[in-house]
Amino acid sequence: MALTRRSLVAAGLAAPALLAARGAQAATTLKLSHQFPGGSIDEGDFRDRMCRKLALAVKERSKGALEMQVYPGSSLMKTNAQFSAMRKGALDLSLYPLPYAGGEVPETNIGLMPALVTSYEQAKAWKTAPVGRKLTEILQSKGIVMVSWVWQAGGVASRERPLVAPEDAKGMKVRGGSREMDLMMKAAGAATLSLPSNESYAAMQTGACDAVITSSTSLISFRLEELAKSLTSGKGRSYWFMLEPIMMSKIVFDGLPKDQQDLIMQAGAELESFGQEGAKADDDRVEQVFGKAGAKVSNLDEKTLGRWRDIARDTAWKDYAAKSATCAEMLKLAEAVA
Protein backbone atom coordinates (compact mmCIF):
# COMPACT_ATOMS: atom_id res chain seq x y z
CA MET A 1 0.00 0.00 0.00
CA ALA A 2 1.35 3.46 -0.90
CA LEU A 3 2.47 5.65 2.02
CA THR A 4 0.45 8.82 2.49
CA ARG A 5 1.85 12.11 3.81
CA ARG A 6 -0.44 11.86 6.87
CA SER A 7 0.82 8.37 7.80
CA LEU A 8 4.42 9.43 7.34
CA VAL A 9 4.01 12.47 9.56
CA ALA A 10 2.15 10.41 12.14
CA ALA A 11 4.98 7.93 12.19
CA GLY A 12 7.49 10.70 12.66
CA LEU A 13 9.39 9.96 9.47
CA ALA A 14 11.65 12.70 8.15
CA ALA A 15 11.65 14.08 4.59
CA PRO A 16 14.72 12.07 3.49
CA ALA A 17 12.88 8.87 4.36
CA LEU A 18 9.96 9.95 2.22
CA LEU A 19 12.27 10.53 -0.72
CA ALA A 20 13.85 7.11 -0.20
CA ALA A 21 10.43 5.47 -0.13
CA ARG A 22 9.48 7.18 -3.38
CA GLY A 23 12.76 6.09 -4.95
CA ALA A 24 12.18 2.50 -3.88
CA GLN A 25 8.71 2.52 -5.42
CA ALA A 26 10.17 3.65 -8.74
CA ALA A 27 12.13 0.40 -9.14
CA THR A 28 10.59 -2.40 -11.22
CA THR A 29 11.09 -5.97 -10.01
CA LEU A 30 10.77 -8.85 -12.47
CA LYS A 31 10.37 -12.51 -11.51
CA LEU A 32 12.49 -15.14 -13.27
CA SER A 33 11.41 -18.76 -12.71
CA HIS A 34 13.11 -22.02 -13.65
CA GLN A 35 12.92 -25.71 -12.73
CA PHE A 36 16.57 -26.37 -11.92
CA PRO A 37 18.33 -26.58 -8.54
CA GLY A 38 19.25 -23.25 -6.98
CA GLY A 39 22.73 -22.21 -5.93
CA SER A 40 24.68 -18.99 -5.96
CA ILE A 41 26.08 -16.75 -8.66
CA ASP A 42 29.40 -18.64 -8.40
CA GLU A 43 28.36 -22.21 -7.52
CA GLY A 44 25.80 -24.76 -8.74
CA ASP A 45 23.86 -25.54 -11.90
CA PHE A 46 25.13 -23.17 -14.60
CA ARG A 47 21.57 -22.40 -15.70
CA ASP A 48 20.69 -21.04 -12.27
CA ARG A 49 23.98 -19.12 -12.23
CA MET A 50 23.20 -17.70 -15.66
CA CYS A 51 19.86 -16.39 -14.39
CA ARG A 52 21.54 -14.82 -11.36
CA LYS A 53 24.19 -13.23 -13.57
CA LEU A 54 21.45 -11.76 -15.74
CA ALA A 55 19.71 -10.36 -12.65
CA LEU A 56 22.95 -8.77 -11.43
CA ALA A 57 23.79 -7.27 -14.82
CA VAL A 58 20.32 -5.79 -15.20
CA LYS A 59 20.38 -4.26 -11.73
CA GLU A 60 23.83 -2.73 -12.21
CA ARG A 61 23.22 -1.38 -15.70
CA SER A 62 19.85 0.11 -14.76
CA LYS A 63 21.39 1.59 -11.59
CA GLY A 64 18.81 -0.20 -9.50
CA ALA A 65 15.79 0.92 -11.52
CA LEU A 66 15.21 -2.65 -12.74
CA GLU A 67 15.68 -5.76 -10.64
CA MET A 68 15.10 -9.49 -11.10
CA GLN A 69 14.27 -12.09 -8.48
CA VAL A 70 15.30 -15.65 -9.40
CA TYR A 71 13.06 -18.53 -8.30
CA PRO A 72 14.82 -21.90 -8.84
CA GLY A 73 13.45 -25.42 -8.47
CA SER A 74 9.96 -24.53 -9.75
CA SER A 75 9.46 -22.75 -6.43
CA LEU A 76 7.34 -19.98 -7.97
CA MET A 77 5.17 -22.15 -10.21
CA LYS A 78 5.09 -25.64 -11.69
CA THR A 79 7.46 -26.34 -14.56
CA ASN A 80 4.96 -26.85 -17.34
CA ALA A 81 2.91 -23.77 -16.37
CA GLN A 82 5.73 -21.30 -17.01
CA PHE A 83 5.42 -20.87 -20.78
CA SER A 84 1.68 -20.20 -20.71
CA ALA A 85 2.14 -17.82 -17.78
CA MET A 86 4.70 -15.79 -19.74
CA ARG A 87 2.39 -15.56 -22.72
CA LYS A 88 -0.33 -14.12 -20.48
CA GLY A 89 2.01 -11.73 -18.67
CA ALA A 90 1.58 -13.62 -15.37
CA LEU A 91 5.29 -14.54 -15.31
CA ASP A 92 8.04 -12.18 -16.41
CA LEU A 93 10.91 -14.50 -17.43
CA SER A 94 11.95 -18.14 -17.43
CA LEU A 95 14.91 -20.25 -18.45
CA TYR A 96 12.73 -22.86 -20.09
CA PRO A 97 13.25 -26.00 -22.21
CA LEU A 98 11.70 -24.85 -25.47
CA PRO A 99 10.04 -28.14 -26.55
CA TYR A 100 8.07 -28.22 -23.28
CA ALA A 101 5.95 -25.58 -25.03
CA GLY A 102 5.13 -27.91 -27.93
CA GLY A 103 1.56 -28.49 -26.76
CA GLU A 104 0.79 -24.78 -27.19
CA VAL A 105 3.13 -23.88 -30.03
CA PRO A 106 4.00 -26.98 -32.11
CA GLU A 107 6.83 -25.19 -33.90
CA THR A 108 8.83 -25.08 -30.65
CA ASN A 109 9.45 -28.83 -30.85
CA ILE A 110 12.20 -27.99 -33.32
CA GLY A 111 14.22 -27.16 -30.16
CA LEU A 112 14.70 -30.87 -29.44
CA MET A 113 14.51 -32.61 -32.78
CA PRO A 114 16.55 -35.83 -32.56
CA ALA A 115 19.78 -35.84 -34.59
CA LEU A 116 18.96 -32.51 -36.26
CA VAL A 117 21.56 -30.58 -34.27
CA THR A 118 24.63 -32.65 -33.45
CA SER A 119 27.27 -30.11 -32.36
CA TYR A 120 27.55 -26.84 -30.43
CA GLU A 121 28.95 -25.09 -33.50
CA GLN A 122 25.85 -25.99 -35.48
CA ALA A 123 23.60 -25.00 -32.56
CA LYS A 124 25.28 -21.61 -32.13
CA ALA A 125 24.74 -20.80 -35.80
CA TRP A 126 20.96 -21.04 -35.43
CA LYS A 127 20.43 -17.66 -33.77
CA THR A 128 21.45 -15.55 -36.78
CA ALA A 129 20.51 -18.10 -39.46
CA PRO A 130 17.09 -18.01 -41.16
CA VAL A 131 15.82 -20.79 -38.86
CA GLY A 132 16.64 -18.72 -35.77
CA ARG A 133 15.10 -15.57 -37.18
CA LYS A 134 11.95 -17.50 -38.08
CA LEU A 135 11.75 -19.07 -34.62
CA THR A 136 12.18 -15.66 -32.98
CA GLU A 137 9.38 -14.29 -35.17
CA ILE A 138 7.05 -17.19 -34.31
CA LEU A 139 7.66 -16.84 -30.59
CA GLN A 140 7.08 -13.09 -30.65
CA SER A 141 3.75 -13.68 -32.39
CA LYS A 142 2.86 -15.98 -29.47
CA GLY A 143 3.86 -13.44 -26.81
CA ILE A 144 7.44 -14.55 -26.08
CA VAL A 145 10.75 -12.67 -26.45
CA MET A 146 14.00 -14.64 -26.75
CA VAL A 147 16.51 -13.02 -24.37
CA SER A 148 19.40 -15.50 -24.29
CA TRP A 149 19.99 -18.57 -26.47
CA VAL A 150 21.26 -21.64 -24.59
CA TRP A 151 21.87 -25.04 -26.19
CA GLN A 152 22.80 -28.20 -24.27
CA ALA A 153 23.95 -31.61 -25.38
CA GLY A 154 22.48 -34.59 -23.58
CA GLY A 155 23.10 -38.21 -22.76
CA VAL A 156 21.37 -41.27 -21.37
CA ALA A 157 21.37 -42.50 -17.77
CA SER A 158 20.18 -46.12 -17.52
CA ARG A 159 19.23 -48.08 -14.43
CA GLU A 160 20.75 -51.27 -15.83
CA ARG A 161 21.97 -51.92 -19.37
CA PRO A 162 23.39 -49.20 -21.62
CA LEU A 163 21.27 -47.47 -24.25
CA VAL A 164 23.73 -46.67 -27.04
CA ALA A 165 22.57 -48.16 -30.36
CA PRO A 166 18.95 -48.31 -31.60
CA GLU A 167 18.63 -52.04 -30.84
CA ASP A 168 19.44 -51.34 -27.18
CA ALA A 169 16.15 -49.45 -26.78
CA LYS A 170 13.94 -52.50 -27.29
CA GLY A 171 11.85 -53.21 -24.21
CA MET A 172 13.11 -50.19 -22.24
CA LYS A 173 10.94 -47.47 -20.68
CA VAL A 174 12.60 -44.22 -21.77
CA ARG A 175 12.14 -40.54 -20.95
CA GLY A 176 13.17 -38.65 -24.10
CA GLY A 177 12.23 -35.05 -23.36
CA SER A 178 10.03 -34.23 -26.36
CA ARG A 179 7.35 -35.75 -28.56
CA GLU A 180 9.86 -36.07 -31.39
CA MET A 181 12.44 -37.82 -29.24
CA ASP A 182 9.72 -40.22 -28.10
CA LEU A 183 8.77 -41.02 -31.69
CA MET A 184 12.35 -41.98 -32.48
CA MET A 185 12.61 -44.13 -29.35
CA LYS A 186 9.31 -45.89 -30.03
CA ALA A 187 10.48 -46.73 -33.54
CA ALA A 188 13.56 -48.31 -31.97
CA GLY A 189 11.33 -50.47 -29.74
CA ALA A 190 11.13 -48.50 -26.50
CA ALA A 191 8.13 -47.49 -24.45
CA THR A 192 8.18 -43.79 -23.56
CA LEU A 193 6.97 -41.50 -20.81
CA SER A 194 6.65 -37.73 -20.75
CA LEU A 195 7.81 -35.79 -17.72
CA PRO A 196 9.97 -32.74 -16.98
CA SER A 197 13.59 -33.47 -16.14
CA ASN A 198 13.16 -32.46 -12.50
CA GLU A 199 10.89 -35.52 -12.06
CA SER A 200 13.44 -37.93 -13.55
CA TYR A 201 14.97 -39.10 -10.26
CA ALA A 202 11.63 -40.22 -8.82
CA ALA A 203 10.70 -41.99 -12.07
CA MET A 204 13.97 -43.95 -12.12
CA GLN A 205 13.83 -44.65 -8.39
CA THR A 206 10.36 -46.20 -8.60
CA GLY A 207 11.16 -48.19 -11.74
CA ALA A 208 8.64 -46.25 -13.84
CA CYS A 209 11.56 -45.36 -16.09
CA ASP A 210 14.54 -47.48 -17.17
CA ALA A 211 16.48 -44.73 -18.90
CA VAL A 212 16.42 -40.93 -18.86
CA ILE A 213 17.70 -38.85 -21.76
CA THR A 214 18.41 -35.29 -20.67
CA SER A 215 21.14 -32.67 -20.69
CA SER A 216 24.52 -33.39 -19.13
CA THR A 217 23.81 -30.65 -16.59
CA SER A 218 20.50 -32.18 -15.55
CA LEU A 219 22.05 -35.65 -15.31
CA ILE A 220 24.39 -34.13 -12.72
CA SER A 221 22.07 -31.69 -10.98
CA PHE A 222 19.32 -34.25 -10.45
CA ARG A 223 21.87 -36.80 -9.10
CA LEU A 224 20.94 -39.59 -11.52
CA GLU A 225 24.36 -41.19 -10.99
CA GLU A 226 22.93 -42.46 -7.69
CA LEU A 227 20.51 -44.70 -9.62
CA ALA A 228 22.28 -45.45 -12.90
CA LYS A 229 24.62 -48.27 -13.82
CA SER A 230 25.21 -46.95 -17.33
CA LEU A 231 25.79 -43.59 -19.01
CA THR A 232 25.82 -42.80 -22.71
CA SER A 233 27.65 -39.49 -22.80
CA GLY A 234 26.74 -36.59 -25.07
CA LYS A 235 30.34 -35.43 -25.20
CA GLY A 236 31.70 -35.04 -28.73
CA ARG A 237 28.50 -36.03 -30.52
CA SER A 238 24.88 -36.53 -29.58
CA TYR A 239 21.45 -36.93 -31.14
CA TRP A 240 20.04 -34.95 -28.15
CA PHE A 241 20.61 -31.19 -28.33
CA MET A 242 18.03 -29.00 -26.60
CA LEU A 243 17.41 -25.29 -26.97
CA GLU A 244 16.83 -24.04 -23.43
CA PRO A 245 16.71 -20.24 -23.66
CA ILE A 246 15.95 -17.46 -21.24
CA MET A 247 12.63 -16.12 -22.47
CA MET A 248 10.51 -13.14 -21.45
CA SER A 249 6.85 -12.27 -21.60
CA LYS A 250 6.32 -9.90 -24.54
CA ILE A 251 3.53 -8.18 -22.62
CA VAL A 252 5.96 -7.39 -19.81
CA PHE A 253 8.84 -6.57 -22.18
CA ASP A 254 6.71 -4.13 -24.19
CA GLY A 255 5.70 -2.39 -20.97
CA LEU A 256 9.29 -1.43 -20.14
CA PRO A 257 11.04 1.74 -21.34
CA LYS A 258 13.26 1.30 -24.39
CA ASP A 259 16.51 1.69 -22.44
CA GLN A 260 15.53 -1.15 -20.08
CA GLN A 261 14.50 -3.36 -23.00
CA ASP A 262 17.88 -2.75 -24.59
CA LEU A 263 19.92 -3.53 -21.49
CA ILE A 264 18.01 -6.80 -20.91
CA MET A 265 18.66 -7.93 -24.49
CA GLN A 266 22.31 -6.86 -24.37
CA ALA A 267 22.96 -8.65 -21.08
CA GLY A 268 21.18 -11.75 -22.37
CA ALA A 269 23.27 -11.87 -25.53
CA GLU A 270 26.51 -11.41 -23.58
CA LEU A 271 25.66 -14.37 -21.32
CA GLU A 272 25.30 -16.83 -24.20
CA SER A 273 29.03 -17.61 -24.21
CA PHE A 274 28.81 -18.37 -20.46
CA GLY A 275 25.93 -20.74 -21.16
CA GLN A 276 27.75 -22.58 -23.92
CA GLU A 277 30.91 -22.92 -21.84
CA GLY A 278 28.84 -24.21 -18.91
CA ALA A 279 27.13 -26.82 -21.05
CA LYS A 280 30.40 -28.03 -22.56
CA ALA A 281 32.06 -28.22 -19.14
CA ASP A 282 29.23 -30.41 -17.89
CA ASP A 283 29.65 -32.74 -20.87
CA ASP A 284 33.09 -33.44 -19.45
CA ARG A 285 32.01 -33.47 -15.84
CA VAL A 286 29.10 -35.87 -16.30
CA GLU A 287 31.49 -38.62 -17.40
CA GLN A 288 33.59 -38.06 -14.30
CA VAL A 289 30.59 -38.00 -11.95
CA PHE A 290 29.02 -41.17 -13.32
CA GLY A 291 32.35 -42.96 -13.68
CA LYS A 292 33.24 -42.20 -10.07
CA ALA A 293 29.86 -43.60 -9.00
CA GLY A 294 30.67 -46.86 -10.78
CA ALA A 295 28.59 -46.46 -13.94
CA LYS A 296 29.75 -47.82 -17.27
CA VAL A 297 30.41 -44.82 -19.57
CA SER A 298 29.85 -45.16 -23.33
CA ASN A 299 30.09 -42.70 -26.23
CA LEU A 300 28.39 -42.52 -29.62
CA ASP A 301 30.47 -43.05 -32.74
CA GLU A 302 29.58 -41.41 -36.04
CA LYS A 303 28.11 -44.60 -37.51
CA THR A 304 25.76 -45.13 -34.58
CA LEU A 305 24.71 -41.48 -34.64
CA GLY A 306 23.92 -41.90 -38.33
CA ARG A 307 21.67 -44.87 -37.56
CA TRP A 308 19.73 -42.80 -35.02
CA ARG A 309 19.46 -39.98 -37.58
CA ASP A 310 17.97 -42.35 -40.15
CA ILE A 311 15.28 -43.40 -37.68
CA ALA A 312 14.63 -39.79 -36.66
CA ARG A 313 14.28 -38.64 -40.25
CA ASP A 314 11.69 -41.33 -41.00
CA THR A 315 9.67 -40.70 -37.84
CA ALA A 316 10.15 -37.49 -35.84
CA TRP A 317 11.21 -35.24 -38.70
CA LYS A 318 8.43 -36.48 -40.95
CA ASP A 319 5.81 -36.12 -38.20
CA TYR A 320 6.93 -32.57 -37.38
CA ALA A 321 6.96 -31.42 -41.01
CA ALA A 322 3.43 -32.77 -41.49
CA LYS A 323 2.00 -30.62 -38.67
CA SER A 324 1.85 -27.42 -40.70
CA ALA A 325 3.44 -25.51 -43.54
CA THR A 326 5.32 -23.45 -40.94
CA CYS A 327 6.77 -26.57 -39.31
CA ALA A 328 7.82 -27.90 -42.70
CA GLU A 329 9.53 -24.59 -43.43
CA MET A 330 11.27 -24.60 -40.03
CA LEU A 331 12.64 -28.09 -40.60
CA LYS A 332 13.93 -27.18 -44.06
CA LEU A 333 15.65 -24.07 -42.67
CA ALA A 334 17.17 -26.09 -39.82
CA GLU A 335 18.54 -28.75 -42.16
CA ALA A 336 20.33 -25.98 -44.06
CA VAL A 337 22.44 -25.12 -41.00
CA ALA A 338 25.49 -27.34 -41.33
Side-chain angles (χ1 to χ4, degrees):
M1 182 181 294
L3 294 173
T4 64
R5 182 178 296 277
R6 179 177 297 173
S7 64
L8 285 169
V9 171
L13 297 177
L18 174 59
L19 293 174
R22 288 176 175 168
Q25 288 176 346
T28 299
T29 300
L30 304 175
K31 294 181 178 180
L32 197 169
S33 173
H34 67 76
Q35 75 191 63
F36 308 104
S40 69
I41 200 164
D42 297 314
E43 298 290 337
D45 188 306
F46 85 82
R47 295 164 297 196
D48 178 67
R49 293 176 60 204
M50 188 170 180
C51 292
R52 294 178 191 278
K53 283 178 177 290
L54 178 64
L56 179 62
V58 165
K59 182 177 181 178
E60 289 179 343
R61 295 179 189 190
S62 69
K63 295 180 170 51
L66 188 61
E67 297 186 4
M68 288 183 186
Q69 293 178 349
V70 178
Y71 294 84
S74 299
S75 56
L76 183 65
M77 63 178 61
K78 291 184 178 179
T79 302
N80 290 331
Q82 294 173 107
F83 186 79
S84 179
M86 282 189 290
R87 293 183 68 192
K88 297 171 184 174
L91 174 65
D92 303 317
L93 299 102
S94 178
L95 192 153
Y96 193 74
L98 189 65
Y100 285 15
E104 292 184 56
V105 183
E107 291 86 354
T108 61
N109 276 331
I110 196 82
L112 181 53
M113 187 66 61
L116 181 60
V117 173
T118 58
S119 72
Y120 284 105
E121 291 71 30
Q122 185 183 5
K124 185 178 179 181
W126 269 43
K127 182 178 180 180
T128 55
V131 65
R133 295 197 295 272
K134 183 68 176 178
L135 181 57
T136 298
E137 175 189 309
I138 290 168
L139 285 168
Q140 286 202 354
S141 74
K142 302 298 182 180
I144 298 291
V145 174
M146 293 281 273
V147 174
S148 193
W149 290 61
V150 185
W151 284 90
Q152 294 182 264
V156 191
S158 307
R159 277 164 51 97
E160 297 293 339
R161 58 188 172 89
L163 172 49
V164 182
E167 58 269 21
D168 298 332
K170 190 172 182 179
M172 296 182 78
K173 294 173 288 186
V174 180
R175 182 269 181 190
S178 73
R179 168 185 165 82
E180 282 68 25
M181 194 65 63
D182 290 349
L183 287 171
M184 183 182 76
M185 284 293 153
K186 286 177 183 176
T192 61
L193 67 163
S194 177
L195 70 161
S197 59
N198 60 326
E199 297 177 15
S200 296
Y201 190 98
M204 284 188 72
Q205 190 176 42
T206 60
C209 183
D210 297 316
V212 169
I213 315 176
T214 189
S215 67
S216 297
T217 308
S218 289
L219 289 169
I220 297 167
S221 289
F222 297 127
R223 310 187 323 278
L224 298 188
E225 80 280 359
E226 296 176 4
L227 305 171
K229 292 183 179 178
S230 303
L231 170 74
T232 304
S233 171
K235 181 180 177 181
R237 60 178 62 83
S238 178
Y239 52 73
W240 198 102
F241 266 86
M242 180 183 273
L243 178 54
E244 208 162 299
I246 296 178
M247 297 184 282
M248 185 169 182
S249 165
K250 190 172 186 298
I251 292 172
V252 176
F253 184 84
D254 288 347
L256 296 176
K258 179 67 164 57
D259 63 323
Q260 293 185 358
Q261 293 177 351
D262 290 346
L263 69 85
I264 288 172
M265 296 304 291
Q266 182 182 3
E270 290 172 4
L271 280 168
E272 288 171 355
S273 59
F274 172 83
Q276 182 167 310
E277 289 165 9
K280 286 182 175 180
D282 283 344
D283 291 343
D284 289 322
R285 194 158 70 95
V286 71
E287 294 189 358
Q288 299 166 13
V289 169
F290 275 71
K292 186 176 179 180
K296 178 183 178 181
V297 178
S298 305
N299 295 88
L300 288 176
D301 57 33
E302 195 60 41
K303 182 178 179 180
T304 304
L305 178 59
R307 293 176 62 202
W308 282 114
R309 185 185 293 110
D310 290 343
I311 297 172
R313 185 178 284 112
D314 290 341
T315 56
W317 297 16
K318 187 178 292 185
D319 177 83
Y320 177 82
K323 286 184 181 297
S324 69
T326 306
C327 287
E329 179 188 1
M330 287 287 291
L331 183 61
K332 185 176 181 181
L333 293 173
E335 286 186 84
V337 182

